[in-house]
Amino acid sequence: MSKKVVYSQEDYEDDLSIYTSEAKENNSYFSPRGMGLDLSLVEKSEYIEEENVGIQETPILVIFDLPDGSQGENMFKLGNTVEVLKSVIESDYGIPMAKQDLYLEDQRLMDPLSLLDYPDVKGVDELYVRVEGPMASGAKK
């Protein structure tokens, strides 16, 4: 049988005062003292975070090789997921997302990965993706 722990308003206020008073001393917004961590010596990784955001936002032209032999193209960002590509294919070319298989060369693109998760995508301006699945008869080409 497990014990149920109930926190009172006083317990909450005591914990909050630890965080706020220590944060004021360190001129920071939050102090993780209550978790037993001292992060005061850890270097901030702002540069890395900004660099990753920049990479994710990099535009890339994706050219779809469609099942009927035609091609279509759309602009995406490297951070877009395979699911986003499938959604665009469904709306623009009429192939249901659940019945689509996307390939980069011979490698199948998998949900929930992003374009950045595939090494062949980095450093290119355009990407050829083979689309397999049943195409609607009135779909845009």
Side-chain angles (χ1 to χ4, degrees):
M1 180 187 232
S2 63
K3 284 184 159 183
K4 185 175 181 181
V5 178
V6 179
Y7 288 98
S8 69
Q9 181 67 27
E10 290 173 354
D11 292 333
Y12 172 76
E13 288 173 0
D14 287 344
D15 287 345
L16 186 60
S17 69
I18 290 170
Y19 288 116
T20 54
S21 63
E22 195 167 300
K24 285 178 188 174
E25 290 171 17
N26 296 327
N27 293 325
S28 65
Y29 177 71
F30 175 75
S31 175
R33 178 177 172 236
M35 293 183 278
L37 301 173
D38 179 10
L39 300 178
S40 62
L41 300 176
V42 176
E43 292 183 32
K44 297 198 186 290
S45 58
E46 293 172 23
Y47 174 75
I48 294 171
E49 289 173 11
E50 289 174 10
E51 182 179 304
N52 286 341
V53 169
I55 292 171
Q56 292 174 353
E57 296 296 317
T58 303
I60 186 166
L61 176 65
V62 176
I63 301 166
F64 297 114
D65 289 326
L66 300 168
D68 67 354
S70 66
Q71 287 187 331
E73 59 183 51
N74 294 83
M75 289 300 295
F76 292 94
K77 294 179 181 178
L78 288 177
N80 286 140
T81 62
V82 172
E83 185 177 26
V84 170
L85 272 69
K86 286 183 172 185
S87 175
V88 169
I89 291 169
E90 181 176 30
S91 66
D92 287 359
Y93 307 106
I95 303 171
M97 286 178 66
K99 296 185 178 186
Q100 292 177 30
D101 287 314
L102 306 183
Y103 295 90
L104 182 59
E105 306 239 351
D106 290 330
Q107 185 176 22
R108 186 170 181 219
L109 301 180
M110 306 289 291
D111 292 333
L113 300 178
S114 73
L115 293 175
L116 276 173
D117 292 316
Y118 296 94
D120 294 342
V121 172
K122 295 176 182 146
V124 299
D125 295 326
E126 55 185 44
L127 188 65
Y128 287 86
V129 173
R130 187 175 81 246
V131 180
E132 293 183 1
M135 207 165 166
S137 59
K140 163 179 128 177
K141 294 183 182 180

